[in-house]
Amino acid sequence: MRIAICPGSFDPVTLGHVDVILRASNLFDKIIVLVLTNSEKKYMFSKEKRTVFLNKVFSTYDNIEVDSFEGLLVDYAKSKRAVAVIKGIRSATDFDYEMKMSLINKELNSDLETLFLASCPDKMCLSSSMVKQIAGLGGDISSFVPKSIYKDIMSFFEREEKSNEY
Ligand code: PNS
């Protein structure tokens, strides 16, 4: 069985992530969507919440599994005998960052390949930070996030708003 990992922060998962993960699932026997920690980021949603969101989104797909891990991606990949890591690329900036990350991962585990999937044109401007910014300012994010988690995300922001009231 050929297993690939789609790693990320997913804070929260967007339709851009979903597009890449579904396309990756057509290329491998099994995809593990892996929630990891990027030490350079401060998260809005806890790792548990981000994992719950992903489980909700992918629960109906037989060859897509969701997991979370605290540690190096290469160590997790080795433990699951995964052969590849898949990352979506929206821009030259993404490519520059992901290329460096893939070289580091290759250095740490030479058996692990990284594949880049180009983002669909209509998802190129989409990012988790954009979703958080729009939702935080009361905008409509329904066309940016999966339907199954839209209400969960909105209720998080409504609670935030209430807790900021005097
Ligand atoms: O969605 P992101 O934030 O771009 O994902 C980055 C992530 C979480 C995949 C990356 O930071 C990662 O792999 N973190 C786990 C620790 C690790 O293996 N780092 C690579 C060597 S620096």
Side-chain angles (χ1 to χ4, degrees):
M1 184 186 290
R2 299 190 81 71
I3 302 174
I5 298 176
C6 290
S9 292
F10 306 110
D11 187 41
V13 56
T14 69
L15 288 177
H17 296 125
V18 173
D19 168 59
V20 168
I21 292 164
L22 292 183
R23 283 159 57 210
S25 75
N26 292 326
L27 304 174
F28 287 87
D29 300 315
K30 182 166 136 186
I31 293 292
I32 303 176
V33 182
L34 186 63
V35 182
L36 286 167
T37 301
N38 180 341
S39 51
E40 284 160 22
K41 286 187 180 170
K42 207 172 164 284
Y43 293 112
M44 181 163 276
F45 297 97
S46 68
K47 182 176 260 187
E48 290 69 31
K49 199 90 202 139
R50 288 179 275 143
T51 309
V52 167
F53 286 167
L54 285 162
N55 267 314
K56 257 190 166 179
V57 175
F58 294 109
S59 62
T60 55
Y61 295 90
D62 286 343
N63 71 334
I64 303 178
E65 202 178 285
V66 175
D67 200 3
S68 66
F69 183 67
E70 205 53 59
L72 285 175
L73 169 61
V74 290
D75 289 340
Y76 180 91
K78 208 173 264 177
S79 75
K80 296 287 175 180
R81 296 176 190 272
V83 293
V85 167
I86 299 188
K87 294 290 289 196
I89 300 287
R90 293 164 300 187
S91 62
T93 311
D94 272 0
F95 181 74
D96 192 46
Y97 174 78
E98 296 297 347
M99 187 66 192
K100 283 178 193 145
M101 197 65 100
S102 77
L103 291 175
I104 293 169
N105 285 333
K106 194 83 182 154
E107 193 68 35
L108 295 171
N109 174 2
S110 59
D111 295 332
L112 191 63
E113 298 294 350
T114 299
L115 304 181
F116 298 131
L117 281 189
S119 161
C120 278
D122 63 327
K123 309 277 188 310
M124 268 180 165
C125 306
L126 193 44
S127 67
S128 299
S129 31
M130 190 195 82
V131 164
K132 286 179 282 193
Q133 197 175 125
I134 295 171
L137 295 170
D140 180 11
I141 56 161
S142 58
S143 54
F144 306 135
V145 298
K147 258 196 185 72
S148 52
I149 60 162
Y150 170 73
K151 279 191 181 143
D152 297 317
I153 296 177
M154 289 317 291
S155 61
F156 173 89
F157 281 99
E158 281 156 17
R159 273 201 309 277
E160 283 272 289
E161 210 169 273
K162 279 210 182 93
S163 70
N164 285 334
E165 277 173 4
Y166 292 105

